[in-house]
Amino acid sequence: EPEVTQTPSHQVTQMGQEVILRCVPISNHLYFYWYRQILGQKVEFLVSFYNNEISEKSEIFDDQFSVERPDGSNFTLKIRSTKLEDSAMYFCASGSQGVGNTIYFGEGSWLTVV
Amino acid sequence: SQQGEEDPQALSIQEGENATMNCSYKTSINNLQWYRQNSGRGLVHLILIRSNEREKHSGRLRVTLDTSKKSSSLLITASRAADTASYFCATDAVVDYKLSFGAGTTVTVRA
């Protein structure tokens, strides 16, 4: 069964460093998302992406965050200058028809900022 | 915010028993979805119920939706130890491109 794959599974980074989290969505999907979950808290929406542009972003997704679909298969989330409070599990998700239909999540990338 | 809120926060049951958890939300929705998350793992989609549906089944799962009360319930019948996980409801509205998740119900199934 096709699945969303994410790398790395776990990354430890120094505060202030740039981090890129990578995702390979399911191949025929057109809608892509990033969510995050701080330990013990709710899953929070970060950004949605369709047709090579951001469809919607949350307040969390400030200027330190960016997304890119560089080559038609990967979907990346970049955090420019990490802060301690960016420590969280970051989930990539994709869907074939957008929200309102099933969205499939990856296993997540656990980011620890020290 | 239209985030769903699950109730109870935690549930402990014996294997073979049924587990019921509820989700309430604040604004009108298009759909409501339930996800499962094993500890430290990703979110696994369980079932999607549309706003014009009242009940849906998938295997041992039964989901109901009452749009007048803005609530949904997830029933897991004949629970197994492997059902131990956190369960989240997630809602979306017509104009949003995002899912809004609740805080989840942690279910522990004792062997």
Side-chain angles (χ1 to χ4, degrees):
Chain A
E1 187 174 323
E3 57 183 23
V4 176
T5 57
Q6 291 185 240
T7 54
S9 57
H10 189 190
Q11 182 163 352
V12 181
T13 190
Q14 294 275 343
M15 192 168 53
Q17 295 295 302
E18 176 182 283
V19 159
I20 296 176
L21 305 178
R22 292 183 166 79
C23 169
V24 179
I26 294 172
S27 63
N28 62 342
H29 285 185
L30 302 175
Y31 298 81
F32 313 110
Y33 311 86
W34 284 100
Y35 286 77
R36 81 171 186 191
Q37 185 181 32
I38 295 171
L39 187 64
Q41 297 188 23
K42 293 182 180 183
V43 176
E44 301 174 289
F45 169 78
L46 292 179
V47 66
S48 58
F49 192 87
Y50 170 72
N51 201 24
N52 285 319
E53 60 182 27
I54 291 173
S55 309
E56 187 169 356
K57 59 184 180 180
S58 70
E59 293 173 352
I60 303 167
F61 195 88
D62 61 21
D63 291 345
Q64 293 300 312
F65 290 86
S66 62
V67 289
E68 196 175 35
R69 189 159 160 77
D71 57 12
S73 62
N74 290 285
F75 180 51
T76 62
L77 174 70
K78 182 194 291 186
I79 309 174
R80 232 177 303 279
S81 176
T82 50
K83 303 186 282 280
L84 294 176
E85 53 265 37
D86 293 328
S87 294
M89 179 78 94
Y90 288 82
F91 293 107
C92 174
S94 70
S96 60
Q97 300 176 51
V99 173
N101 294 278
T102 301
I103 298 174
Y104 297 88
F105 284 77
E107 285 289 314
S109 292
W110 183 246
L111 175 66
T112 302
V113 182
V114 296
Chain B
S1 168
Q2 61 170 12
Q3 288 177 333
E5 296 296 337
E6 289 89 343
D7 168 58
Q9 287 186 313
L11 184 59
S12 179
I13 55 174
Q14 281 291 136
E15 206 165 23
E17 293 181 339
N18 295 343
T20 300
M21 61 211 86
N22 304 294
C23 167
S24 60
Y25 55 91
K26 295 177 182 175
T27 62
S28 296
I29 60 170
N30 247 350
N31 308 283
L32 187 143
Q33 305 187 47
W34 285 91
Y35 286 84
R36 185 185 74 227
Q37 183 181 36
N38 290 82
S39 182
R41 304 293 301 275
L43 294 158
V44 175
H45 184 263
L46 295 176
I47 200 162
L48 179 153
I49 186 166
R50 301 195 185 281
S51 59
N52 61 353
E53 297 176 311
R54 292 296 166 257
E55 188 170 314
K56 207 159 181 181
H57 296 256
S58 176
R60 292 184 295 112
L61 305 179
R62 174 178 167 252
V63 168
T64 64
L65 179 64
D66 186 336
T67 52
S68 67
K69 295 181 179 177
K70 292 186 170 57
S71 68
S72 172
S73 68
L74 171 66
L75 167 69
I76 306 172
T77 60
S79 62
R80 304 166 182 168
D83 295 327
T84 294
S86 292
Y87 293 81
F88 297 89
C89 68
T91 57
D92 73 82
V94 174
V95 295
D96 283 350
Y97 289 93
K98 64 178 186 283
L99 289 177
S100 296
F101 283 81
T105 293
T106 300
V107 175
T108 303
V109 181
R110 305 185 306 274

